[in-house]
Amino acid sequence: MSPVVLVCCVLIAAVAPRCSSEMYTSLLNVKQAISVEQKLIDYLRTYIDHEQERLQDIKRFYTKVSDLHSELYKGPAGMANPLVAFTLIKRLHSEWLNVVYSNEALENAQALRSSYEEEEPELPKLEDLQGAAKGLMRLQDVYALQVSSLARGRFQRVADGEAVDVYMPAVSIPLSGDDCFLVGKVAYEQEDYYHSVQWLEESVRLFRGTRGEWSPENEGTLEDALDHLAFSHFKTGNVSHALSLSQELLHYDPMNGRVLQNVEKYEKLLVAAGPPRGDGLRRPTSTYLRTRETYERLCQTQGSQPMHFKNPRLFCDYFTNDNPALLLMPVRREVLSLQPFAVLYHDFITDVEVEDVKSLAQPGLRRSVVAAGEKQATADYRISKSAWLKGSSFSIVGKLDQRISMLTGLDVKHPYGEYLQVVNYGIGGHYEPHFDHATSPSSPVFKLKTGNRVATFMIYLSPVEAGGSTAFIYANFSVPVVEKAAIFWWNLHRNGEGNIDTLHAGCPVLIGDKWVANKWIHEFGQEFLRRCSLNPEE
């Protein structure tokens, strides 16, 4: 390959869109997949039209031959006519052969396959299906949702023994037995039998409801669901249920040697162990998420903290920060917390600015990463895509930097402030409890050589119908997504030590398309801008 060709290939690879990469991590990419499926629908319509034409020809042939047998061949004079005899012989020798072995059906199917293969690079990968399934299980856990309700297209949890709606979406669809089977299978393959039992139970129920009717688009069957569910129950200690499901499976596949061995094994276990003592379903523990109960409670309240609004030290006002530029148009400020100090600035950004920021960010969206020692890596506890936007004094990013500086009184220009990070969350997109400031000297945060992240300024670029709150774990409050508002808090104490009360999380998005923009401000450059304190421990 010549150097010129090689350079061209590298350039093409560099600028080629990667919208299908890790599609589940960004709702923008999921929306882009709609246009791909529309193409597939058009291809399928063409295939159906061609197949209908082929079937019409076959029906015509069938009608012709049937009429001959019902009319001409019944009389004794039929075969006396040599023309009739000739056409019969010719038809049996060649016409039936041409109909039965016609390549037309194969050609129609091959044309559909070729069209599908053209779109295949833009289609979701296996990791997208697995990621989407994990997203559903995450929503199930964090918002205590019933799997049976999710299968009906409802978002419900049990309260006082009754199912209550967490949220009623404007658009929803029920799940099929195959849909539930694939979610359960993802959990099964990860040896997460807590989730596999619940999803496979629903899959079996739905498959039974169709009485085993086969659908060409399905990957799983009732037998598959029974097989996976039986073993899942065995792994959770429910041997008697595993036995009954295996026996039901033998009804459909009586010669399955593996299942026959399992039945024998389960029967022996039940005899040896006596009455069943299954421990029941236990949710897997999290090695990373040590504050799960508090985190999930704050996410479920979606911002409403009991009696929080009655704290007299928290208030709302029109804020100017003594900045002349804000005197004629002060910002509505809501003080959310004093420890850590956190405020919400309402209507910080306009609709036009929001669309400009999102448009600038879209080409650069890549899977969000987290600090992993001195490097950065992707992680399941952060599901989103992000892009970094540089700004000039005339750009929309530069204008936002200027506005942030007026409100905070800090120098936010690079390198004292990081570039603006724009984030779009995916299916069940979230960011589990974490600190924005570095907690290790080897953190990538220090690469700018301007100290630690002293403060965070986060802009809500879009509304979210349900979920997606920002939860402060140790401070015990959460902030719902407020469209076009911005939240600001200090990450460090005045002595430079990290404030542990800033441990926070982005709750999973239940319904909606969540976009945010983060501005992280560093210590250096703020020496004469942040008020000093006589207390060295403050």
Side-chain angles (χ1 to χ4, degrees), residues 395-412:
S395 69
I396 176 60
V397 178
K399 292 177 182 178
L400 292 177
D401 281 350
Q402 185 180 25
R403 202 174 303 160
I404 294 171
S405 183
M406 288 191 297
L407 284 172
T408 62
L410 301 175
D411 187 347
V412 303

Side-chain angles (χ1 to χ4, degrees), residues 9 24 44 68 83 122 139 148 151 219 255 291 339 425-426 468 498 507 514:
C9 291
Y24 72 98
L44 189 59
L68 289 171
L83 297 177
E122 298 301 319
L139 294 174
S148 58
E219 178 177 323
M255 302 306 294
T291 56
Q339 181 53 34
Y425 288 82
C507 296
K514 182 180 177 182

Side-chain angles (χ1 to χ4, degrees), residues 22 39 87 154 262 459:
E22 296 178 312
K39 292 182 182 179
T87 57
R154 303 283 294 273
N262 286 344
I459 309 166

Side-chain angles (χ1 to χ4, degrees), residues 215-458:
S215 296
E217 70 269 21
N218 285 355
E219 178 177 323
T221 63
L222 174 58
E223 292 91 326
D224 293 328
L226 287 169
D227 197 7
H228 286 75
L229 179 58
F231 188 75
S232 296
H233 273 299
F234 166 68
K235 294 297 288 186
T236 61
N238 195 340
V239 180
S240 61
H241 206 167
L243 175 61
S244 64
L245 290 166
S246 297
Q247 290 170 335
E248 181 182 352
L249 180 56
L250 286 176
H251 174 74
Y252 300 101
D253 189 7
M255 302 306 294
N256 190 316
R258 178 177 54 80
V259 179
L260 285 168
Q261 289 180 348
N262 286 344
V263 167
E264 183 180 355
K265 173 183 176 180
Y266 297 155
E267 289 175 338
K268 289 180 179 179
L269 285 172
L270 287 174
V271 171
R277 301 193 307 270
D279 296 330
L281 296 180
R282 289 186 176 180
R283 186 173 162 193
T285 57
S286 172
T287 55
Y288 175 76
L289 186 54
R290 301 184 183 90
T291 56
R292 183 162 68 183
E293 289 185 8
T294 303
Y295 162 62
E296 292 179 353
R297 174 177 56 80
L298 292 171
C299 289
Q300 290 174 19
T301 59
Q302 299 183 44
S304 301
Q305 302 307 309
M307 310 304 288
H308 190 68
F309 65 95
K310 290 188 176 181
N311 187 338
R313 300 177 65 194
L314 302 179
F315 60 90
C316 298
D317 65 357
Y318 284 97
F319 183 66
T320 65
N321 199 27
D322 295 327
N323 189 299
L326 295 175
L327 289 177
L328 294 178
M329 191 177 292
V331 175
R332 288 189 299 143
R333 178 179 67 163
E334 180 181 351
V335 179
L336 303 170
S337 170
L338 298 176
Q339 181 53 34
F341 182 78
V343 298
L344 189 71
Y345 298 111
H346 290 267
D347 296 315
F348 171 81
I349 191 170
T350 68
D351 291 323
V352 173
E353 290 171 334
V354 163
E355 293 307 315
D356 287 346
V357 170
K358 289 164 63 175
S359 297
L360 285 172
Q362 285 181 23
L365 286 174
R366 299 292 183 269
R367 174 74 184 271
S368 298
V369 295
V370 297
E374 296 184 4
K375 298 182 179 180
Q376 294 180 317
T378 60
D380 283 342
Y381 60 83
R382 187 182 189 187
I383 300 298
S384 62
K385 284 190 174 180
S386 54
W388 297 87
L389 301 183
K390 298 180 180 180
S392 66
S393 57
F394 302 104
S395 69
I396 176 60
V397 178
K399 292 177 182 178
L400 292 177
D401 281 350
Q402 185 180 25
R403 202 174 303 160
I404 294 171
S405 183
M406 288 191 297
L407 284 172
T408 62
L410 301 175
D411 187 347
V412 303
K413 293 181 181 178
H414 195 270
Y416 305 123
E418 296 178 33
Y419 294 126
L420 190 71
Q421 184 195 57
V422 181
V423 184
N424 180 224
Y425 288 82
I427 300 173
H430 71 142
Y431 194 172
E432 288 183 359
H434 63 281
F435 294 107
D436 279 356
H437 63 271
T439 56
S440 167
S442 62
S443 170
V445 167
F446 293 113
K447 285 185 177 180
L448 286 178
K449 301 186 184 303
T450 51
N452 210 337
R453 289 172 171 171
V454 68
T456 294
F457 197 96
M458 184 172 68

